[in-house]
Amino acid sequence: MVAQRPEDRGEIQTTQAHSCPQWLHGIALAKRLQKHASQGDPGAVDAIAPRIRHPNSSVRLAAVHALRHVANKLDSCVLEDLLGQNIASSGFGLDDVSCEVRVAAAEAVGEIAEDSAHRRSCQKLLQLFEDEDWHVRSAAQKALVKVSHKDAECHWIKNELISLLHGQKWSAKVLAAEGLGHLARRGDEEVVHSLVQASANQDWAVRKASAWALGKTAPVGDSDSLQAVVTLVGSQPWHQAQTSSCPSPESPP
């Protein structure tokens, strides 16, 4: 085990003995974990994984970053830890209170489960489309695209994205539209129809994402898709619309 090597144990204990900020402990440990990762230590995963449950968020962040590089593809134990799917890891990984750790966990899941269509990973990443933090939501979408692929077995992911596209939260709609643009096959009538509908949404960001996704999925020359894009080009971005609705400071009341 990595933590049992005398030089490692001594260095970590020395670092912890000094009265320095908690975040500095995290940086010091991160360097140690990165060193073990680069050396290809066979015991690295076993030594690093428990630290995603450390009380110091800097240490948890360092551990998640390191696992991203040392874990084998589809390592079920690491994925379960990152997904919070066992009692010990509940509340950590993708469920961590720190948004930075959640972002790193999403990125790690994307790497470890890449191109596998791992269902539990995809389900958890889809849930994060409604996370309170934009960086977490964005990282979850990018990770979902990496984990998924366009094979028929991922049809359920397309359905989940369409459901989010018809939901209430504008931010989830944007991510769902972009996700469909990456994952759906060109000419998928259900996807194209949903994106055309979303392109008329009152939120400009949703319309923009839907138009981009139509460019990736609509059949060449599709009249409804072309009309949706033309309408978007002629509409005002949200910031211009807000500006035009406000009176000029020099105009009379």
Side-chain angles (χ1 to χ4, degrees):
M1 293 292 181
V2 174
Q4 294 178 345
R5 301 199 314 195
E7 63 271 25
D8 296 342
R9 185 168 60 249
E11 184 169 339
I12 292 174
Q13 289 176 346
T14 300
T15 302
Q16 293 175 338
H18 292 293
S19 57
C20 58
Q22 289 295 309
W23 60 265
L24 192 55
H25 291 315
I27 293 176
L29 182 56
K31 291 183 177 180
R32 296 299 305 165
L33 296 180
Q34 290 170 0
K35 179 180 178 181
H36 294 313
S38 64
Q39 291 175 342
D41 194 311
V45 171
D46 291 335
I48 295 168
R51 292 191 171 102
I52 73 168
R53 300 183 288 275
H54 195 279
N56 182 351
S57 62
S58 297
V59 174
R60 299 198 302 273
L61 180 62
V64 172
H65 278 309
L67 284 175
R68 176 181 177 181
H69 297 289
V70 301
N72 293 324
K73 293 295 182 183
L74 283 178
D75 186 316
S76 59
C77 292
V78 172
L79 283 175
E80 285 184 2
D81 279 339
L82 293 172
L83 299 175
Q85 292 187 327
N86 55 52
I87 295 176
S89 61
S90 178
F92 297 101
L94 290 174
D95 291 328
D96 202 284
V97 295
S98 167
C99 60
E100 290 184 333
V101 176
R102 296 200 301 278
V103 168
E107 293 171 345
V109 170
E111 290 286 340
I112 297 170
E114 185 174 7
D115 289 332
S116 68
H118 187 257
R119 192 178 186 93
R120 285 180 294 175
S121 295
C122 292
Q123 289 172 332
K124 191 69 176 182
L125 292 169
L126 281 165
Q127 292 175 12
L128 290 183
F129 275 38
E130 297 185 347
D131 191 274
E132 61 184 15
D133 186 89
W134 169 255
H135 296 95
V136 175
R137 299 194 297 267
S138 180
Q141 188 246 40
K142 292 176 182 177
L144 179 70
V145 171
K146 293 188 71 171
V147 175
S148 309
H149 48 69
K150 297 185 179 183
D151 288 349
E153 64 190 72
C154 288
H155 183 75
W156 71 271
I157 298 177
K158 181 194 75 173
N159 293 337
E160 290 291 335
L161 291 173
I162 290 176
S163 178
L164 286 170
L165 189 62
H166 294 314
Q168 298 298 318
K169 291 189 176 181
W170 72 269
S171 56
K173 290 173 178 285
V174 170
L175 293 172
E178 293 175 350
L180 288 169
H182 285 293
L183 296 174
R185 295 182 181 276
R186 184 174 293 279
D188 187 313
E189 293 183 1
E190 184 181 10
V191 170
V192 172
H193 178 68
S194 296
L195 289 171
V196 169
Q197 287 184 317
S199 68
N201 190 274
Q202 62 181 1
D203 191 286
W204 190 82
V206 177
R207 299 200 302 273
K208 178 183 177 183
S210 299
W212 174 85
L214 283 170
K216 297 289 186 178
T217 59
V220 176
D222 181 68
S223 58
D224 290 339
S225 301
L226 288 172
Q227 182 59 50
V229 173
V230 169
T231 301
L232 174 72
V233 171
S235 66
Q236 287 181 305
W238 65 270
H239 58 280
Q240 291 183 7
Q242 284 186 334
T243 302
S244 62
S245 65
C246 297
S248 170
E250 297 180 357
S251 62

